[in-house]
Amino acid sequence: MRILLTGSAGWLGQTLAPRLEAGGHEVIGLDPVASPRTAVRGSVTDRDLVRSVLREARIEAIVHAGGLHKPDIDRFSRADFMAVNIHGTFNLLDAAVEQGIDRFVFTSTTSLMISAAIRAGLAGGAARASWLTEDMVPEPRNIYGVTKLAAEKLCRFYHDAFGMKVVVLRTARFFPEADDMAHAIDQSDENTKANELLFRRLTVADAAEAHIRALQRAPELGYGLFIISAATPFTPADCDELIGNAPAVVARYFPNYPALYARRGWTMFHSIDRVYDSSLAAQRLGFVCRTGFRDVLAGLAEA
């Protein structure tokens, strides 16, 4: 297929593009930032540009991985978020309908699932960890989440109204930057990211593979919305103890972790306040992340 990939200069785009090409696809990258993977330098907010690229490049499918993200909140205005994340998504969907393109994969975020109420409860000492699935009704707490949720709704509308085959992927954390909670704990970034594979992280390689799987399954799914995160070992029954004594819960599932962590000088979070359940993606999308916490421990054992 001839695939338009937005965000081609980004962390995900640079990982996804070569994998798509290895699968025999032709990738046309669109991004405001020049890069080896950016064929067209421009913004999804430029409706005329979007329409011309889809038409002239004879695009057959779209992977919309570009947009403004949570770290951009400090650098861009709310109007910028509205223009890029909402109107830019509209431009792509609407132009796709005009050109008869009916396969669309949208990169969303689990961040929009953490409402102000959940955040306040976690900060104030919640009674139990939140178990988060696709069934919850999101109430985003910031402009990033609001615009991503609005873009998700646009995706659903274009499926319902025009029959577009759309898969929305609510990806957990896979960015390379230090986490926003790192300042609150005495822990290396590598240690923090390893811990997060238990409940709210995946590798960028797995994020890329999830998008490839979504492209493959879109025609038969019609529409799908999935949490994409490393498979958690936990169950809802663990949520009471996770909030107050996470190390004990982790040790039940991975008895060798305390010794391996001690050898590296690592620590486990005392409290785990949420768990993203990616089981629907396994059941309906047929996708499970290849890398998880068990792989981290295997690496520590080998080292």
Side-chain angles (χ1 to χ4, degrees):
M1 289 187 294
R2 295 174 64 84
I3 300 169
L4 177 71
L5 172 62
T6 70
S8 54
W11 181 238
L12 174 59
Q14 293 183 67
T15 305
L16 177 56
R19 290 168 183 257
L20 287 170
E21 290 169 350
H25 303 294
E26 183 174 350
V27 179
I28 294 84
L30 172 64
D31 200 294
V33 178
S35 80
R37 296 294 177 181
T38 302
V40 181
R41 191 172 178 183
S43 172
V44 292
T45 61
D46 186 338
R47 181 172 174 80
D48 290 338
L49 174 64
V50 168
R51 295 173 74 183
S52 68
V53 170
L54 296 188
R55 180 180 63 254
E56 294 170 11
R58 304 188 309 279
I59 297 300
E60 300 171 89
I62 298 172
V63 177
H64 184 24
L68 294 181
H69 304 285
K70 185 179 176 184
D72 294 320
I73 290 177
D74 294 333
R75 301 188 294 116
F76 290 87
S77 70
R78 291 185 293 275
D80 292 330
F81 272 85
M82 295 289 287
V84 174
N85 289 356
I86 299 178
H87 200 74
T89 304
F90 164 76
N91 286 342
L92 288 163
L93 290 163
D94 211 51
V97 169
E98 289 179 356
Q99 297 300 317
I101 301 165
D102 70 348
R103 199 178 305 202
F104 194 98
V105 176
F106 176 60
T107 310
S108 190
T109 174
T110 54
S111 178
L112 62 80
M113 302 175 72
I114 304 301
S115 67
I118 291 176
R119 174 67 72 182
L122 299 177
R128 68 195 313 267
S130 296
W131 189 266
L132 303 176
T133 73
E134 294 85 350
D135 291 333
M136 72 169 292
V137 178
E139 296 179 0
R141 69 189 188 279
N142 55 37
I143 192 66
Y144 170 54
V146 168
T147 55
K148 278 294 192 178
L149 181 59
E152 285 187 2
K153 291 183 180 297
L154 278 172
C155 289
R156 183 59 197 244
F157 168 75
Y158 273 82
H159 164 71
D160 292 343
F162 302 104
M164 185 175 289
K165 311 304 188 290
V166 181
V167 179
V168 175
L169 302 180
R170 285 185 182 168
T171 56
R173 298 180 177 200
F174 60 82
F175 45 78
E177 297 88 358
D179 294 327
D180 56 9
M181 67 177 294
H183 68 279
I185 52 178
D186 183 17
Q187 200 170 75
S188 71
D189 185 51
E190 188 181 14
N191 184 176
T192 295
K193 289 175 178 177
N195 291 354
E196 287 186 335
L197 281 171
L198 287 161
F199 64 103
R200 63 169 180 181
R201 178 169 285 278
L202 71 161
T203 66
V204 68
D206 278 331
E209 291 300 324
H211 284 72
I212 293 171
R213 185 62 172 164
L215 271 174
Q216 295 169 342
R217 294 293 302 276
E220 58 192 281
L221 287 170
Y223 177 84
L225 185 153
F226 304 101
I227 291 171
I228 304 296
S229 187
T232 181
F234 307 133
T235 72
D238 296 317
C239 287
D240 288 337
E241 192 174 0
L242 280 172
I243 201 71
N245 190 5
V249 182
V250 177
R252 283 203 300 271
Y253 289 98
F254 304 98
N256 63 333
Y257 112 79
L260 291 172
Y261 262 42
R263 192 164 66 188
R264 188 68 178 265
W266 283 8
T267 58
M268 178 53 61
F269 299 148
H270 174 70
S271 177
I272 289 177
D273 56 22
R274 80 204 69 170
V275 179
Y276 293 116
D277 180 356
S278 60
S279 58
L280 186 66
Q283 296 162 12
R284 296 200 60 231
L285 187 61
F287 176 78
V288 177
C289 290
R290 295 186 64 181
T291 302
F293 186 72
R294 189 178 302 279
D295 300 285
V296 171
L297 296 184
L300 294 178
E302 290 176 4

